[in-house]
Amino acid sequence: MTIMRRATSGVVLFLAIASVVQSTVRQEAPVPDKLIVFTFDDSAKSHATYVAPRLKTLGFGGTFFITEGFDFPTNKTGYMTWEEIAGLHKMGFEIGNHTAKHANAARQTREALTADLELVERRCLEHGMPTPVSFAYPGNDIGGIVVECVEGEGLSVCSARRRSGVPL
């Protein structure tokens, strides 16, 4: 649990049980028994500087859900650069889509949500990565036109953290 305590220092750590690894989505391998999936969202700098290297040392994989929300464009001490995100991909980690703006996806218009999803896809391609196949709901608010838009963008795995009293 040391990795979890250190990773959460000053960043949001998102562990989703509803996620499935990319190889499973593409049916390259069956889902193993007792699978644990580590997912991290919000593009925190510590994902590249501490979490990913530590996971790699321990032999674990993970999915990093990327957003350009918050002050991502200007705060490079708190958030990764796209080069660092590409570095995570090169290390073998999955890069997932967490939308460009980190807005409440369930309350966005179809056009706004599609644009948010496509911006992350474009950035991945610009930096030599495939477009994501996994999506994490920003703010975990499920509903609206999210599923339809996500499927329309070719994203096939969605994850959300269950909030107390909110059914999935």
Side-chain angles (χ1 to χ4, degrees):
M1 292 308 278
T2 301
I3 190 169
M4 294 307 139
R5 271 188 247 114
R6 289 190 72 183
T8 58
S9 177
V11 299
V12 176
L13 175 64
F14 178 71
L15 296 174
I17 296 171
S19 265
V20 180
V21 292
Q22 184 174 358
S23 63
T24 302
V25 173
R26 294 190 177 156
Q27 299 179 343
E28 295 171 1
V31 177
D33 290 337
K34 299 181 182 180
L35 174 69
I36 296 174
V37 179
F38 292 106
T39 66
F40 306 87
D41 67 347
D42 297 345
S43 310
K45 175 70 93 178
S46 64
H47 296 171
T49 60
Y50 180 77
V51 176
R54 184 73 173 137
L55 287 173
K56 199 69 170 166
T57 298
L58 295 171
F60 290 111
T63 301
F64 293 86
F65 288 101
I66 303 303
T67 181
E68 287 189 352
F70 312 109
D71 58 346
F72 174 96
T74 57
N75 179 359
K76 290 308 163 194
T77 59
Y79 296 97
M80 291 185 280
T81 65
W82 275 101
E83 290 74 23
E84 288 170 318
I85 295 164
L88 296 176
H89 168 71
K90 289 176 186 160
M91 291 175 74
F93 294 105
E94 179 186 11
I95 303 302
N97 197 326
H98 201 39
T99 74
K101 295 180 184 171
H102 202 280
N104 184 332
R107 297 183 183 160
Q108 284 185 286
T109 65
R110 178 181 321 281
E111 294 76 20
L113 178 54
T114 299
D116 271 0
L117 293 168
E118 289 177 351
L119 179 63
V120 173
E121 292 171 1
R122 227 176 12 261
R123 294 280 195 263
C124 285
L125 291 172
E126 289 168 0
H127 290 87
M129 297 175 281
T131 58
V133 297
S134 299
F135 169 77
Y137 290 85
N140 306 304
D141 195 3
I142 302 166
I145 46 86
V146 178
V147 172
E148 185 180 322
C149 286
V150 165
E151 287 176 346
E153 290 300 312
L155 296 156
S156 55
V157 176
C158 298
S159 67
R161 178 179 49 148
R162 184 184 176 118
R163 289 184 177 170
S164 178
V166 180
L168 287 177

